[in-house]
Structure formats: C-alpha cells, structure tokens
Amino acid sequence: MPLFSARSLFRLLTIGLLISPITLFSQANLKQQFQNPPAESRPMVRWWWFGIAVEKGELLRELQQMKADGIGGAELAFVYPQVLDDPAKGLRNYPFLSPEMLDCVHYAQQEGRKLGLRIDVTMGSGWPYGGPATTLAEAAGRLRVAEVPIPANSSTITPPALAEGESLVSASIADALPGSTWDAASAQPLPISSTAIAPAGTARVALFFIAGHTGQVVKRAAVGAEGWVLDPFSGQAVENHLKSVGAPLVRAFGDTPPYAVFSDSLEAYGADWTANLPTEFKRRRGYDLLPHLPELVAGGTPSAETVRHDWGKTLTELVDENYLTQINLWAAAHHSRFRSQTYGEPAVSFSSQRLAALAEGESSRWRQFSTLRWATSANHVFGNNVSSGESFTWLHSPVFRATPLDMKAEADIDFISGENLLIFHGWPYSPPQVGEPGWSLYASAVFNDHNPWHPVMPDVDRYIQRIGFLLRQGQPANQVALLLPTDDAWASFSPGKVTVTGAMNSLISPRLMSTILSAGYNIDFIDADAINSVGLGSHSILLLPPTDRIPVATVSKISAWVAAGGKVISLGRAPSVDPEGKTNSQITALSRQLSFVADESGLTEALHQAVTPDLQLTSDQTAIGFIRRKLPAADVYFVANTSNHTIQTKASFGTGHKYGEQWDPDNGRSSAVPTREVDLKLAAYESRVFVFSNVPSHSVADHETGSQIADLSADWQLRFAGTNKTESQATLTDWIADPETRFYSGEVVYTREFNLTNRPSASTYLQVEGGAPLPMPMPAEDRPPLLPNGMPDPRVTLPGPGMQAYYDAPIREAAVVFINGKRAGSLWHPPYRLDVTSYLQSGRNRIEIHVYNTAINAWAAQPPHDYKPLIAKYGDRFQMQDLDKVHPVPSGLLGTVHLVQ
C-alpha cells in the first residue's frame, strides 16, 4: 500500500502551496514593519515636573513636541523645586497633591491620550515611596545595636537612651574580647526590664538590640511631599501610602487610568527591620530570632550564616507580600499595571520581579552583573514580551553634554542586554519664562527641544523604535542560564546591608560574565525559585557560579532537566549544602551530573563542548555584542560594535536556516549575506540586524564604497541661525576657535554648490570622515561617601556608572542634510554616510548641511546659578553635578566631506 494516496498527496501539496505564501508574506511583513514600526514600540520619556511649577499651555506644547519627535509616551515624575514662586513671571510651585497640581495631572494625561501617547505616573514624589502621610511608626526601620561595657565584678548596667520611635527588642550579655569586640558564642539572654546583673570576674559587654528607624527621608521631593521613607516590609505603611498618595493621583486620571503606576529602584538604605519581624520570622522559619541576634550581628560562623540566611529570606518574603504584591493588586484593581524597578535595598530577589506586572531595569554595564539584565532576564524567564529600562541615567555628565552618538552607544548596550522599551531619563519640563537652556535634572541628560541637536531626535527615536520593535518578535533565545546564588546572598547579609542585587556584584564576577559573552553566548539570569516554578525554558546550558547553598527541590528540577538533555556547568565551587547549611545526598549526587570547571580559563572550552555558540567571531569578541530572537520561521540577530574603533572580522551565526539578510537599522534597507563566514565590518558604535530564514533573499549583496566623485571639504558658506552671523570657510574650522562663536549653541547652516557631469547611475553617498577614538578613563566611584550612621548623604550624588561615546566625531554633534532643497536625511553616528543618489542631478547641485551642537557652550557663558535663596526656603534637595566640566566643547562640521560610490 503506498504511503500517500493520490488524494492525500494532492491535499498535502495544496496545504504546502497555502503555507509557503504565508511564510513568504510573514517575512515580508516583518521587513515592512521594521521599516515602519508600530507606534507601541516607540520609546518613552520620564517627564520631570519640578516644584510642582507647571502650566497647561506648556504641558500641551511639550506633549505635542514629544509626539512630533517619535516619543510614544511619558511617565509623570514629580521632583524638587527649581525656582521660588514669582507671580510676576507666572511661576508658582503647586504643593504636591494640591487641587491645582492634580488638575494639571488630569489635563496632561487627557491631552496626552488625545495625541496617542501612553501616560504612566510615579506613585509618589522623588524616591523611594514615602512623604508627609508616612508616620515615624511607618517609616523604614533598622536594627541598632548598643554596646555597653560592663567592668569586671559590676552588678548593674545602665541601658542606653532610646530615641523617638525606638524600642528595645532584646538584650544579651557576652564576654568581652580584646579590641573592643565581644564573643557571640558566649552571649546569654539579658532581661530587658532589669538593670541588675550577676557580677563576674571578667569584663563583659551588654548588647541592646533596638528597633529604630533609618531616618531616611524622601529624596528629591517636590514641595509638600517631604517626609519619611516608608517601611517596605510593612503592609500597613504601604496601604497608607496607596490611600494617601496613590488614590489621589489615579483619581486625577479620571475615566482613563494610567497605563502603569511606577516604583523607582528600591533605595531604602539600611532598612533591615520591621515591627513584626520577630513574629513573622518565628512563623516562617520555625524558631525564635531574638536569642540569635548576637550571632546575626557578629557573623563569622556557619551557624551565624544560617541565621543571616533565614533573616534575609524572611525580609524578602515580607517585601514581596507587603510591598510588591499589594501594589500590584492595587494597580490591577484600579485598571492599571504596576511597573517596578525591583532591585536594590531592601532584600528583593530575582523572582520577586514576577510579582509586578512590568519588571524594569537600568544600567549600561553589559559585561558584568547589572540590574538591567536582572530585569530583562526575569521578563524572559516569566514570559513577559516587553522589557523596559530606565535608559541614559548619568549619560555623559554634566547635563546638556550628551549627544545622539552617546545615546546610540548606550541604547545598543541596552538592546543586547535584552531591553526592548527604552524610557529616556529624561525630559525636563521647562517653562519659557526661565529662558535657555531651561531646567534640567541635577544629574541627567536632556532630551527636550531646548537641546540644539533636537532636530535629529526623530531619526534617533526611529532607530530606537525599529530595534525595540524587532526585539519583541518571536521568543528570547539566550543560550545560557546563569543561576544566581540567592541563598548565598541571604547568608552574606549583615545589619544595614540587605540587598540581593548588591551581593550579586560580588558573587557574579565581571570576568565570568565577560568570558561567557566572549565565547559567543548571551545570558539570562535565573534563580532557584524560578527554576522550581517555571523551569529552565529554552536555555541550552545552566551555569552555576561558585555556589555553596542550593535548595533540594531545585536540585531535583535540574536533575530532571539534565536527564532530558540539558547541560550543566559548575564553575569554581559546586553547591555542597542546602539553604540551612546541611549536607544532602541529592546535592552530592548533582555533582556527578555536571561538568566542573576550576576557573574562567577553562570555561570557554567547556561551553563550546556543551553547545555550539550563537555567534562565533574570528576577532574582537570583547567589543561586539549581540542578542537573538527566535521566530517560528526565522532567527533575528541584533549585532552591535560597542567599541570606539572600526572592527573588521568574520562572523558565523548559529542558525539552522539557509538564507540570510542584513538590515540597516537607520533606513531599513536590506542586502543578502551567507550564514557562515560573514564579512562583518562595523564602524565605531555601529550596529546591524541579521535575519535568517529558509526564504531566499531577493536583495543583492552589499558592496564597499570606494571611488570619490566629488570632494566637498572646502569653500563652505556658513550662517549662524541664532545670530545671523555669516562667514566663509575655505577650510572647515571649529566654532570655538573664534572668540565670537566660542559660546554659540544652536544651528549653523553650511552651504555650497558643486557640479556633476551626469546624474549618478550607481548608489552615491555623502560621506564625512575624520573621526577618531578617545582614551577611556577609569570608571567613576559608584556611590557617594556614607554619613557616620552608615547611611548615604541624601544631598550628595557622585557620578554613577555613566555611559558616553569615547569618540572625537567629524560632526559635532549632529547634522541634517538637504540637497537641491530636499531633506536627504541626518548624520549623527559613525559611519557618517548618507545615501543621496535620488537627490542628485546632472549639472549644478546645491547642498546644505544644518549642523547642531550641544547647549553646553552657551551655558558655559552664563554666570553660575545662585541656589542659595532656593536652599534657604526649601532646603538642600539637590546638587548640580560636574559643574567644573561646564565649558565650550568643539562644535561644527570638522571632517572631510566627499561624494563616493
């Protein structure tokens, strides 16, 4: 009997004919959407309202500008005042949550919705959550230890004085040791109601464990929003905030609730205690914490690590339940979503992120542990397709110094880290009365239209929109899952230091991350709770960093995954005990199922033996990053040169598809490429998209430009648009070389004419050359110095792990090109090349290059702003960053200009 009858064969052929056009159409549709991506993939901005001194006319104008720029929405963020009330200028700070302020919120969201913009709102002012409605009893808590020396033979002690809001939770007496320390192992309970003690022949120390408060107040608060930071472990404190702050803000949105309510990174510094912690600890862990407080504070022993582990896990559970879950449910009940930066202090874990509808990250560090990859990994693991990030925080300080090239350098790192919705940090509201360059946040780039290079913002946003759209297609396909040792992090906690993400900076080394990435793989983080709840998904390799503790249930899940074909590699130290520090036969057996690598020097080989990497390069593995998305009938790779120099290498992609194309992210054009041994040439900070499928490409292979058809480097006419100054430049010259234009910020129009014998028949490009790499300095200090109480000074913010492009560009900083009266495009990143074929004509041609610099040159000419009156009225709420770096920077068209084919 034949395998197929004639009728069934006809049906199969018919189905095949029906399927093939759908496959072809799907790829064509993907390319079409890449060229013209949907509105929902547009980036967003954090829209700072200072004071709150806003007026409706300017709110509408700024929303319209966002729409024109290609911005998809705004997050309303309410921060510190910039100005004293000035009725003559129409400037007034509306108190936070006042009727006037809430009316402006209603107006802004209403007009934003009319424009098709998404509007989110920060559910508070400044950060973290808190304010005047947070009482001292509901403020962030900490455990304080008062040590009282007891001389030999003493029979009484004097308990320490308690500050307002403090209470004594436990006391112990321990043997004194040399060097003003004490022996935790000798500690015995001490009645807290009595001052009498039995005398002893040796010196001792009385330990008083005091439940107090961190004393932290809301950072960068608006007028009327001042107050304590709330206790994130307390359900009552969070509920009170939702009622007193969240409810009025959401009511102001009327019938159209915010798309999302937002919680910034958890920065409740030192918060490690809450009033009901002893009760909750005993209920969850099965023993009394209070007798073990000496161990918890002293640390240094296995039993102390177990107590710290259990304390840390309890804190995580409390913040999960009382902060994250409560806010998420509240947001859903109000027809919104909870967008949360779930990292920092206190003790949230990787899996805590599943409790917020929208997990968000930040950081431009892609070759070490970062909270951006922390969030994108959670979205990959828990099945959320959109992964947002706070982008451009600290970008090229000081304010007004950041450029479009700086934006691209960081955006590409965001993309290869898994982000696909960039939320710019940020857009300062700035009223016309205050002049130029307008208001700005103390430590951030400025992306509103007060920045002279703003005319190219639609092109920058379109680039970001294209990649954001593409990285939402299909499924994430990172090959390596890196198991975060959360139980080890909990065991490392100590009073005042209860941050899982902070611990990961030590537990996950930059060398480990860099080795994996350089080997040709991309990475998702995962933790034991995630493996237990959702498994390892499509990952091919599970990598265990040096780890001590692992839950037995997780071992069972890993063993089953290995039996199904998964690969496990252990680096440095395999898990040996369960979370309680006890040995277990299942954990011991796990070591026989994994490949062990002593250190990072042998890791690349072990990875390659396990699974073929996604992207193999013949050189520059540390500079080129990538991310892959897997579609039903295609593989999509985004590849970026993160370095400040041109790279030429060969790339082999780990796709199983037959045909390939490379897509230009700037214009959407495509050209054919093979799947193996692709000649890859990327200029500094350049990126490319590669799409592989079983559909033959109809695009031709790209070719190098070579022959020059016109040299346009000399004899330009310049017009400074802001002053109407004109001049001729036989040789292109920096604006700041002329004292008359040294402090000029704005637009300069470069004009000249040239002749062509014939209209070009081949693709012709305008090319500006002459850029060069700049030396990269050592990274800045991440955190400001601490106060004597161990808390950060809320007034001081030192430069963070900021990003910038270390490249001396031939165009400073961006340009829009017009040829024969038509806009041909913009130039804002290497290679500074633009296809102008269709704009050229035989005979005389006229070219205009509109060049824009930054606002910092004009700002440098202004006298320093006097903030003393503002500080006298409202206190020292912020300090402008890097003012010593405010000076004119090179500006203009500075390279050689050619037409090439």
Side-chain angles (χ1 to χ4, degrees), residues 18 24 107 133 165 195 244 312 368 413 466 482 502 547 552 587 589 601 634 646 651 670 722 728 808:
L18 290 173
L24 288 169
Y107 177 81
T195 60
S244 60
Q368 61 190 90
I413 287 176
R466 278 198 179 107
L482 180 58
T547 303
V552 175
I587 297 175
S601 64
T646 297
S670 61
S728 300
D808 188 6

PDB file of all heavy atoms in Angstrom, residues 18 24 107 133 165 195 244 312 368 413 466 482 502 547 552 587 589 601 634 646 651 670 722 728 808:
ATOM      1  N   LEU A  18      -0.401  26.589   0.162  1.00  0.00           N
ATOM      2  CA  LEU A  18      -1.030  27.594   1.007  1.00  0.00           C
ATOM      3  C   LEU A  18      -0.080  28.101   2.079  1.00  0.00           C
ATOM      4  O   LEU A  18      -0.089  29.267   2.434  1.00  0.00           O
ATOM      5  CB  LEU A  18      -2.285  27.012   1.667  1.00  0.00           C
ATOM      6  CG  LEU A  18      -3.477  26.733   0.729  1.00  0.00           C
ATOM      7  CD1 LEU A  18      -4.576  26.005   1.492  1.00  0.00           C
ATOM      8  CD2 LEU A  18      -3.999  28.026   0.121  1.00  0.00           C
ATOM      9  N   LEU A  24       6.293  33.387   3.196  1.00  0.00           N
ATOM     10  CA  LEU A  24       6.902  34.489   2.454  1.00  0.00           C
ATOM     11  C   LEU A  24       6.321  35.816   2.911  1.00  0.00           C
ATOM     12  O   LEU A  24       7.029  36.790   3.132  1.00  0.00           O
ATOM     13  CB  LEU A  24       6.680  34.289   0.950  1.00  0.00           C
ATOM     14  CG  LEU A  24       7.483  33.168   0.285  1.00  0.00           C
ATOM     15  CD1 LEU A  24       6.968  32.914  -1.115  1.00  0.00           C
ATOM     16  CD2 LEU A  24       8.960  33.533   0.242  1.00  0.00           C
ATOM     17  N   TYR A 107      -5.159  67.201  33.149  1.00  0.00           N
ATOM     18  CA  TYR A 107      -5.036  67.851  31.831  1.00  0.00           C
ATOM     19  C   TYR A 107      -3.959  67.181  30.988  1.00  0.00           C
ATOM     20  O   TYR A 107      -4.176  66.883  29.803  1.00  0.00           O
ATOM     21  CB  TYR A 107      -4.705  69.332  32.022  1.00  0.00           C
ATOM     22  CG  TYR A 107      -4.493  70.069  30.721  1.00  0.00           C
ATOM     23  CD1 TYR A 107      -5.577  70.515  29.972  1.00  0.00           C
ATOM     24  CD2 TYR A 107      -3.212  70.319  30.246  1.00  0.00           C
ATOM     25  CE1 TYR A 107      -5.385  71.189  28.771  1.00  0.00           C
ATOM     26  CE2 TYR A 107      -3.001  70.986  29.044  1.00  0.00           C
ATOM     27  CZ  TYR A 107      -4.102  71.417  28.313  1.00  0.00           C
ATOM     28  OH  TYR A 107      -3.902  72.072  27.124  1.00  0.00           O
ATOM     29  N   ALA A 133       2.484  61.696  54.725  1.00  0.00           N
ATOM     30  CA  ALA A 133       1.497  60.775  55.289  1.00  0.00           C
ATOM     31  C   ALA A 133       2.146  59.588  55.985  1.00  0.00           C
ATOM     32  O   ALA A 133       1.464  58.822  56.672  1.00  0.00           O
ATOM     33  CB  ALA A 133       0.551  60.280  54.187  1.00  0.00           C
ATOM     34  N   GLY A 165      10.676  56.957  68.755  1.00  0.00           N
ATOM     35  CA  GLY A 165      10.293  55.899  67.835  1.00  0.00           C
ATOM     36  C   GLY A 165      11.055  54.608  68.008  1.00  0.00           C
ATOM     37  O   GLY A 165      10.771  53.629  67.313  1.00  0.00           O
ATOM     38  N   THR A 195      17.972  46.280  85.637  1.00  0.00           N
ATOM     39  CA  THR A 195      19.336  46.803  85.487  1.00  0.00           C
ATOM     40  C   THR A 195      20.325  46.015  86.330  1.00  0.00           C
ATOM     41  O   THR A 195      21.526  46.294  86.299  1.00  0.00           O
ATOM     42  CB  THR A 195      19.390  48.285  85.908  1.00  0.00           C
ATOM     43  OG1 THR A 195      18.991  48.396  87.279  1.00  0.00           O
ATOM     44  CG2 THR A 195      18.471  49.137  85.025  1.00  0.00           C
ATOM     45  N   SER A 244      -3.208  57.473  50.577  1.00  0.00           N
ATOM     46  CA  SER A 244      -2.957  58.908  50.707  1.00  0.00           C
ATOM     47  C   SER A 244      -2.286  59.515  49.483  1.00  0.00           C
ATOM     48  O   SER A 244      -2.441  60.711  49.221  1.00  0.00           O
ATOM     49  CB  SER A 244      -2.088  59.176  51.948  1.00  0.00           C
ATOM     50  OG  SER A 244      -0.842  58.499  51.840  1.00  0.00           O
ATOM     51  N   GLY A 312      17.426  37.004  56.061  1.00  0.00           N
ATOM     52  CA  GLY A 312      17.338  37.588  54.728  1.00  0.00           C
ATOM     53  C   GLY A 312      16.148  37.063  53.946  1.00  0.00           C
ATOM     54  O   GLY A 312      15.424  37.824  53.292  1.00  0.00           O
ATOM     55  N   GLN A 368      29.114  42.666  33.002  1.00  0.00           N
ATOM     56  CA  GLN A 368      29.157  42.313  34.411  1.00  0.00           C
ATOM     57  C   GLN A 368      27.733  42.261  34.918  1.00  0.00           C
ATOM     58  O   GLN A 368      26.784  42.516  34.166  1.00  0.00           O
ATOM     59  CB  GLN A 368      29.997  43.319  35.203  1.00  0.00           C
ATOM     60  CG  GLN A 368      29.489  44.748  35.166  1.00  0.00           C
ATOM     61  CD  GLN A 368      30.483  45.717  35.751  1.00  0.00           C
ATOM     62  OE1 GLN A 368      31.331  46.246  35.043  1.00  0.00           O
ATOM     63  NE2 GLN A 368      30.400  45.972  37.047  1.00  0.00           N
ATOM     64  N   ILE A 413      23.807  48.899  23.951  1.00  0.00           N
ATOM     65  CA  ILE A 413      24.095  48.035  25.101  1.00  0.00           C
ATOM     66  C   ILE A 413      22.795  47.613  25.786  1.00  0.00           C
ATOM     67  O   ILE A 413      22.639  46.465  26.212  1.00  0.00           O
ATOM     68  CB  ILE A 413      25.057  48.738  26.075  1.00  0.00           C
ATOM     69  CG1 ILE A 413      26.460  48.768  25.473  1.00  0.00           C
ATOM     70  CG2 ILE A 413      25.067  48.064  27.435  1.00  0.00           C
ATOM     71  CD1 ILE A 413      27.477  49.514  26.297  1.00  0.00           C
ATOM     72  N   ARG A 466      12.786  51.061  15.837  1.00  0.00           N
ATOM     73  CA  ARG A 466      12.963  49.900  14.963  1.00  0.00           C
ATOM     74  C   ARG A 466      13.521  48.704  15.735  1.00  0.00           C
ATOM     75  O   ARG A 466      13.008  47.582  15.639  1.00  0.00           O
ATOM     76  CB  ARG A 466      13.908  50.253  13.815  1.00  0.00           C
ATOM     77  CG  ARG A 466      13.268  50.972  12.655  1.00  0.00           C
ATOM     78  CD  ARG A 466      14.146  50.899  11.410  1.00  0.00           C
ATOM     79  NE  ARG A 466      13.490  51.580  10.302  1.00  0.00           N
ATOM     80  CZ  ARG A 466      13.866  52.755   9.810  1.00  0.00           C
ATOM     81  NH1 ARG A 466      14.913  53.378  10.327  1.00  0.00           N
ATOM     82  NH2 ARG A 466      13.212  53.303   8.807  1.00  0.00           N
ATOM     83  N   LEU A 482      22.240  31.578  33.868  1.00  0.00           N
ATOM     84  CA  LEU A 482      23.226  31.694  34.947  1.00  0.00           C
ATOM     85  C   LEU A 482      22.471  31.703  36.276  1.00  0.00           C
ATOM     86  O   LEU A 482      21.682  32.621  36.549  1.00  0.00           O
ATOM     87  CB  LEU A 482      24.041  32.981  34.775  1.00  0.00           C
ATOM     88  CG  LEU A 482      25.121  33.277  35.803  1.00  0.00           C
ATOM     89  CD1 LEU A 482      26.141  32.145  35.874  1.00  0.00           C
ATOM     90  CD2 LEU A 482      25.819  34.589  35.483  1.00  0.00           C
ATOM     91  N   GLY A 502      22.975  43.801  45.445  1.00  0.00           N
ATOM     92  CA  GLY A 502      24.289  44.256  45.892  1.00  0.00           C
ATOM     93  C   GLY A 502      25.242  43.097  46.103  1.00  0.00           C
ATOM     94  O   GLY A 502      26.412  43.159  45.727  1.00  0.00           O
ATOM     95  N   THR A 547      29.207  28.402  44.208  1.00  0.00           N
ATOM     96  CA  THR A 547      27.974  28.380  44.999  1.00  0.00           C
ATOM     97  C   THR A 547      28.129  27.403  46.157  1.00  0.00           C
ATOM     98  O   THR A 547      28.725  26.334  46.002  1.00  0.00           O
ATOM     99  CB  THR A 547      26.782  27.942  44.126  1.00  0.00           C
ATOM    100  OG1 THR A 547      26.662  28.823  43.005  1.00  0.00           O
ATOM    101  CG2 THR A 547      25.477  27.951  44.906  1.00  0.00           C
ATOM    102  N   VAL A 552      17.071  21.783  47.801  1.00  0.00           N
ATOM    103  CA  VAL A 552      16.976  20.399  47.325  1.00  0.00           C
ATOM    104  C   VAL A 552      15.950  20.289  46.203  1.00  0.00           C
ATOM    105  O   VAL A 552      16.143  19.544  45.227  1.00  0.00           O
ATOM    106  CB  VAL A 552      16.621  19.457  48.486  1.00  0.00           C
ATOM    107  CG1 VAL A 552      16.390  18.036  47.986  1.00  0.00           C
ATOM    108  CG2 VAL A 552      17.726  19.474  49.536  1.00  0.00           C
ATOM    109  N   ILE A 587      22.116  16.720  46.738  1.00  0.00           N
ATOM    110  CA  ILE A 587      23.069  17.761  46.345  1.00  0.00           C
ATOM    111  C   ILE A 587      24.402  17.122  45.984  1.00  0.00           C
ATOM    112  O   ILE A 587      25.058  17.519  45.004  1.00  0.00           O
ATOM    113  CB  ILE A 587      23.213  18.797  47.476  1.00  0.00           C
ATOM    114  CG1 ILE A 587      21.878  19.501  47.706  1.00  0.00           C
ATOM    115  CG2 ILE A 587      24.306  19.805  47.142  1.00  0.00           C
ATOM    116  CD1 ILE A 587      21.875  20.463  48.880  1.00  0.00           C
ATOM    117  N   ALA A 589      24.817  14.152  44.805  1.00  0.00           N
ATOM    118  CA  ALA A 589      24.650  13.446  43.537  1.00  0.00           C
ATOM    119  C   ALA A 589      24.666  14.391  42.349  1.00  0.00           C
ATOM    120  O   ALA A 589      25.051  14.008  41.244  1.00  0.00           O
ATOM    121  CB  ALA A 589      23.343  12.657  43.563  1.00  0.00           C
ATOM    122  N   SER A 601      39.402  30.309  33.039  1.00  0.00           N
ATOM    123  CA  SER A 601      40.325  29.983  31.955  1.00  0.00           C
ATOM    124  C   SER A 601      39.890  28.754  31.168  1.00  0.00           C
ATOM    125  O   SER A 601      40.221  28.614  29.989  1.00  0.00           O
ATOM    126  CB  SER A 601      41.741  29.774  32.511  1.00  0.00           C
ATOM    127  OG  SER A 601      41.777  28.658  33.390  1.00  0.00           O
ATOM    128  N   ALA A 634      12.186  32.023  11.414  1.00  0.00           N
ATOM    129  CA  ALA A 634      13.367  32.870  11.207  1.00  0.00           C
ATOM    130  C   ALA A 634      14.120  33.042  12.516  1.00  0.00           C
ATOM    131  O   ALA A 634      13.571  32.850  13.608  1.00  0.00           O
ATOM    132  CB  ALA A 634      12.965  34.235  10.644  1.00  0.00           C
ATOM    133  N   THR A 646      36.726  51.104  14.498  1.00  0.00           N
ATOM    134  CA  THR A 646      36.178  50.228  13.467  1.00  0.00           C
ATOM    135  C   THR A 646      36.676  48.802  13.664  1.00  0.00           C
ATOM    136  O   THR A 646      37.836  48.569  14.010  1.00  0.00           O
ATOM    137  CB  THR A 646      36.586  50.730  12.072  1.00  0.00           C
ATOM    138  OG1 THR A 646      36.020  52.030  11.872  1.00  0.00           O
ATOM    139  CG2 THR A 646      36.094  49.803  10.975  1.00  0.00           C
ATOM    140  N   ALA A 651      32.085  36.549  10.924  1.00  0.00           N
ATOM    141  CA  ALA A 651      31.085  36.090  11.884  1.00  0.00           C
ATOM    142  C   ALA A 651      30.365  34.869  11.334  1.00  0.00           C
ATOM    143  O   ALA A 651      29.982  34.842  10.164  1.00  0.00           O
ATOM    144  CB  ALA A 651      30.081  37.199  12.166  1.00  0.00           C
ATOM    145  N   SER A 670      17.947  46.352   3.005  1.00  0.00           N
ATOM    146  CA  SER A 670      18.489  45.018   3.233  1.00  0.00           C
ATOM    147  C   SER A 670      19.446  44.618   2.135  1.00  0.00           C
ATOM    148  O   SER A 670      19.403  45.144   1.015  1.00  0.00           O
ATOM    149  CB  SER A 670      17.351  43.998   3.307  1.00  0.00           C
ATOM    150  OG  SER A 670      16.626  43.964   2.100  1.00  0.00           O
ATOM    151  N   GLY A 722      21.212  81.388  14.949  1.00  0.00           N
ATOM    152  CA  GLY A 722      20.803  82.110  16.141  1.00  0.00           C
ATOM    153  C   GLY A 722      21.202  83.557  16.168  1.00  0.00           C
ATOM    154  O   GLY A 722      20.601  84.357  16.890  1.00  0.00           O
ATOM    155  N   SER A 728      32.657  82.786   5.490  1.00  0.00           N
ATOM    156  CA  SER A 728      33.137  81.794   4.534  1.00  0.00           C
ATOM    157  C   SER A 728      34.261  81.010   5.169  1.00  0.00           C
ATOM    158  O   SER A 728      35.098  81.567   5.893  1.00  0.00           O
ATOM    159  CB  SER A 728      33.646  82.475   3.257  1.00  0.00           C
ATOM    160  OG  SER A 728      32.620  83.212   2.636  1.00  0.00           O
ATOM    161  N   ASP A 808      35.924  61.152  19.009  1.00  0.00           N
ATOM    162  CA  ASP A 808      36.016  62.524  18.512  1.00  0.00           C
ATOM    163  C   ASP A 808      35.421  62.535  17.110  1.00  0.00           C
ATOM    164  O   ASP A 808      36.087  62.204  16.129  1.00  0.00           O
ATOM    165  CB  ASP A 808      37.476  62.973  18.492  1.00  0.00           C
ATOM    166  CG  ASP A 808      37.614  64.447  18.162  1.00  0.00           C
ATOM    167  OD1 ASP A 808      36.588  65.135  18.059  1.00  0.00           O
ATOM    168  OD2 ASP A 808      38.755  64.904  17.991  1.00  0.00           O
TER     169      ASP A 808
END
